Amino acid sequence: MTESDTGLRDRLVDVGVALVAAEGAQALTLREIARRAGVSHGAPRRWFPTHLELLSAIAHRGFTELAGRAEAALGDGTAAPGAQVAALARVYLEFARDNPGMYHLMFRHDLLESGHLRLRETSLPLFGLLADLVGRARPGVDARLVAGALWANLHGIAQLWAWGSLRLATGADDVGPLLETALDAHLGAGR
């Protein structure tokens, strides 16, 4: 693959990232990405033989950005494990709020199961970090199960908040109290 090939491949992914941000995951068609990249509608197939592979490349960018935000939020890693879990949870909810189209794309089961671009190898380390921190915050529990329940809770908060359901049901004007309640439920009130 030449440098110009790599450049076009990256441009297609860049266009997809911009498109998902502007119009959501449903707008991500090979034809539309090619049109916006200024290439023929068949050109993306050279680098992405299937639509799933292009979607995976775009989702990979989302996981990379989320991992970068998580790393920045944890800083030098010297904060108490419970405080680090809270920081990761905030980053997760902020990412979902700031990037709804990408967030939706990243957690599509068909992408994660496909094995394209090894998305599991990109996403699972984030979960592993959360599980490690939960284990240090709550010794003696099955940290993977508690982390899984917390992640499911956070994912539900993010999705239901985006839909407006939680605002309607709770009357809350921000996710802060919901986040604190979820953290208390999974890590204990004295975290």
Side-chain angles (χ1 to χ4, degrees), residues 154-174:
L154 294 172
H155 195 79
I157 290 170
Q159 192 63 61
L160 291 171
W161 190 264
W163 289 339
S165 303
L166 277 176
R167 278 177 249 166
L168 180 64
T170 65
D173 22 349
D174 74 62

Side-chain angles (χ1 to χ4, degrees), residues 47-70:
W47 297 274
F48 305 103
T50 68
H51 187 233
L52 206 56
E53 288 179 77
L54 179 54
L55 294 180
S56 296
I58 295 165
H60 186 271
R61 289 268 184 95
F63 280 115
T64 300
E65 182 182 342
L66 180 57
R69 287 184 184 200

Side-chain angles (χ1 to χ4, degrees), residues 1-111:
M1 203 179 274
T2 69
E3 189 173 332
S4 64
D5 287 340
T6 303
L8 182 53
R9 182 190 186 285
D10 289 344
R11 184 164 43 124
L12 291 167
V13 175
D14 291 343
V15 167
V17 168
L19 184 59
V20 77
E23 299 182 28
Q26 72 283 354
L28 293 173
T29 65
L30 284 171
R31 185 175 294 271
E32 183 58 19
I33 290 170
R35 186 185 74 73
R36 290 183 185 217
V39 298
S40 73
H41 71 272
R45 296 244 184 240
R46 179 172 180 190
W47 297 274
F48 305 103
T50 68
H51 187 233
L52 206 56
E53 288 179 77
L54 179 54
L55 294 180
S56 296
I58 295 165
H60 186 271
R61 289 268 184 95
F63 280 115
T64 300
E65 182 182 342
L66 180 57
R69 287 184 184 200
E71 185 179 320
L74 295 179
D76 64 4
T78 58
Q84 290 182 66
V85 170
L88 285 178
R90 273 189 225 78
V91 162
Y92 187 83
L93 292 178
E94 289 167 1
F95 183 88
R97 179 198 64 213
D98 297 344
N99 305 281
M102 180 63 82
Y103 179 77
H104 172 76
L105 178 66
M106 288 165 57
F107 293 102
R108 280 185 41 177
H109 180 73
D110 59 335
L111 294 182

